[in-house]
C-alpha cells in the first residue's frame, strides 16, 4: 500500500532536498508517494500568499507529515484531519523515507495538561 508523505524542505525540493527546520517557514513542500520497495512519485508544492498548508494536506490526501518542528496549532489541525506527524533524526527527504520504512521515526502528539 502506498503512503503519501508531505515534508517541508529547502528549494529546490525533491528526494535529495534538506528538510527545513520548521514547518511554517519552509520554502517548498515535497510530497512523496512511496511503498516498501520504491518511490512512486514526487510532487512539489510552493506556497503562495493565499495557500494554506492544511489545504494541500486535504487536497492531496496526505497520509503522514514528516517534519522537524511544528507549532502546537499545526499539530492540532493535522490531528483533526487524521494525519499523524512524525519526526526523528533526519536531514533529507530520502533519509526520512528510509527511516519511515524502518520505523525509526517518532509520532508528535499534543498532550493536554489539566489542572487538578
Amino acid at each position: 500500500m502506498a503512503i503519501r508523505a508531505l515534508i517541508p524542505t529547502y528549494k529546490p525540493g525533491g528526494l535529495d532536498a534538506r528538510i527545513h527546520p520548521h514547518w511554517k517557514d519552509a520554502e517548498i513542500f515535497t510530497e512523496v508517494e512511496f511503498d516498501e520497495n520504491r518511490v512512486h512519485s514526487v510532487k512539489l508544492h510552493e506556497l503562495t500568499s493565499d495557500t494554506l498548508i492544511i489545504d494541500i494536506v486535504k487536497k492531496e490526501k496526505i497520509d503522514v507529515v514528516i517534519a522537524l518542528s511544528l507549532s502546537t496549532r499545526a499539530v492540532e489541525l493535522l490531528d483533526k484531519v487524521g494525519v499523524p506527524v512524525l519526526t526523528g533524526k533526519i536531514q533529507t527527504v530520502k533519509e526520512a523515507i528510509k527511516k519511515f520504512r524502518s520505523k525509526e521515526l517518532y509520532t508528535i502528539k499534543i498532550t493536554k495538561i489539566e489542572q487538578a
Side-chain angles (χ1 to χ4, degrees):
M1 182 175 118
I3 300 288
R4 273 185 205 268
L6 190 65
I7 305 168
T9 57
Y10 286 97
K11 286 184 177 180
L15 291 175
D16 293 320
R18 284 187 22 247
I19 296 175
H20 198 281
H22 197 278
W23 167 264
K24 184 179 80 105
D25 301 324
E27 298 174 355
I28 199 157
F29 287 80
T30 299
E31 175 187 333
V32 183
E33 184 178 2
F34 64 95
D35 61 24
E36 286 297 317
N37 303 309
R38 69 183 183 94
V39 170
H40 297 276
S41 65
V42 176
K43 189 174 181 180
L44 304 178
H45 301 277
E46 194 163 2
L47 300 182
T48 60
S49 60
D50 60 342
T51 307
L52 296 176
I53 303 167
I54 196 70
D55 291 339
I56 293 170
V57 169
K58 291 176 185 176
K59 180 180 171 234
E60 299 294 329
K61 297 180 173 66
I62 298 298
D63 298 305
V64 64
V65 163
I66 302 173
L68 296 175
S69 175
L70 286 88
S71 68
T72 301
R73 180 73 179 132
V75 175
E76 287 172 345
L77 282 171
L78 291 163
D79 186 55
K80 193 180 260 186
V81 296
V83 176
V85 179
L86 303 178
T87 192
K89 194 171 181 178
I90 47 179
Q91 293 182 5
T92 66
V93 172
K94 198 181 289 181
E95 184 180 20
I97 300 307
K98 179 182 175 198
K99 289 195 175 188
F100 178 92
R101 287 175 172 148
S102 62
K103 298 179 179 15
E104 293 179 59
L105 299 177
Y106 305 93
T107 304
I108 297 175
K109 291 194 180 265
I110 301 299
T111 313
K112 299 200 187 230
I113 300 172
E114 296 189 21
Q115 200 167 9

